[in-house]
Amino acid sequence: MLPLASTSAPATAAAPAQDSGASSSTASPVDCSVTLYGDSILYGGTNITGAGPGRLQEPPAVGLVRMRPLVAVTDRTEPGDYATRRLPVFMNDRITSRFVVIEHGLNDAGHDFDYETPLRTMVQRVKALQKTAIVTGLSHVREGVDQRDAYDAIASRVAKEEGVAFANWGSVPFTRDSTDFADDVHPAQPYSTRLTEQLARTIDGLAPECR
């Protein structure tokens, strides 16, 4: 399972925003801003449980901008994060982006933490801010997270009940070998890229103008 995060507040790493240039009196810039919240999967962590912290050459925050150049990403992911820990920080964060991606669940499942309550509360705050929430669901693992499927079902159900987008990472193809996994839990680059592509397609469905 993924290690728990430290109790220190997470650093915020932002990908360079796309400058729309001079304003126009006849048209407004397209808002394709995205804030990412999640654990080491969305961070792009690799070998967290082995040789120490590492990061993929193209983590999801970077890959999403490559795939959709109009997207501007604020990356607030942190290895080891889980929904209950993130909730109090999340509820006080200043969130200005149009889209808010919430990717938690594997650490919650691995440690049998409450997942539904904090996830639903985060989604409801995004809605109250009149932003667009996207719940990713859980990526697959090779082994070590027995409740992965049950917690993924929670993510899907909360998204449906709250009327927000579900990126359905569980539907993304994968193989249980070293091509797709850096260890028992963390995706290697090919699988991570496919997960990011699924997120990009979800944004496409919500905002075709950002494609």
Side-chain angles (χ1 to χ4, degrees):
M1 67 186 68
L2 285 71
L4 295 181
S6 67
T7 56
S8 59
T12 298
Q18 304 299 314
D19 188 347
S20 59
S23 61
S24 169
S25 60
T26 59
S28 299
V30 175
D31 183 1
C32 300
S33 55
V34 180
T35 301
L36 305 179
Y37 287 92
D39 55 31
S40 55
I41 308 301
L42 191 57
Y43 173 84
T46 177
N47 292 326
I48 301 297
T49 58
R55 202 171 193 185
L56 295 171
Q57 182 175 358
E58 184 181 80
V62 176
L64 185 59
V65 173
R66 174 182 62 79
M67 296 170 193
R68 302 293 186 271
L70 291 178
V71 168
V73 174
T74 297
D75 186 359
R76 292 178 178 168
T77 60
E78 184 176 358
D81 208 6
Y82 52 97
T84 301
R85 175 183 181 270
R86 179 54 39 194
L87 180 61
V89 177
F90 186 94
M91 296 302 287
N92 289 290
D93 270 352
R94 182 172 180 267
I95 301 174
T96 60
S97 62
R98 177 181 179 183
F99 302 100
V100 181
V101 177
I102 303 173
E103 180 275 327
H104 291 99
L106 278 179
N107 286 318
D108 310 75
H111 296 280
D112 198 27
F113 291 153
D114 178 26
Y115 175 51
E116 178 172 351
T117 302
L119 174 63
R120 190 182 296 276
T121 303
M122 286 190 281
V123 168
Q124 289 175 346
R125 190 198 177 211
V126 175
K127 292 166 62 178
L129 292 173
Q130 298 184 332
K131 308 298 183 180
T132 300
I134 301 173
V135 177
T136 66
L138 278 63
S139 58
H140 285 277
V141 300
R142 284 204 290 198
E143 59 180 297
V145 186
D146 294 339
Q147 296 194 80
R148 182 263 161 207
D149 292 353
Y151 276 58
D152 186 57
I154 292 172
S156 176
R157 177 169 53 80
V158 168
K160 182 177 181 179
E161 291 175 354
E162 295 295 334
V164 302
F166 184 62
N168 197 4
W169 272 9
S171 70
V172 175
F174 72 102
T175 60
R176 285 190 170 88
D177 58 30
S178 59
T179 300
D180 276 348
F181 283 93
D183 54 25
D184 287 341
V185 173
H186 298 92
Q189 188 68 69
Y191 184 28
S192 179
T193 298
R194 292 195 295 275
L195 294 170
T196 306
E197 289 169 346
Q198 180 78 344
L199 177 57
R201 288 191 293 269
T202 302
I203 295 172
D204 290 346
L206 296 167
E209 69 274 17
C210 294
R211 188 174 303 173

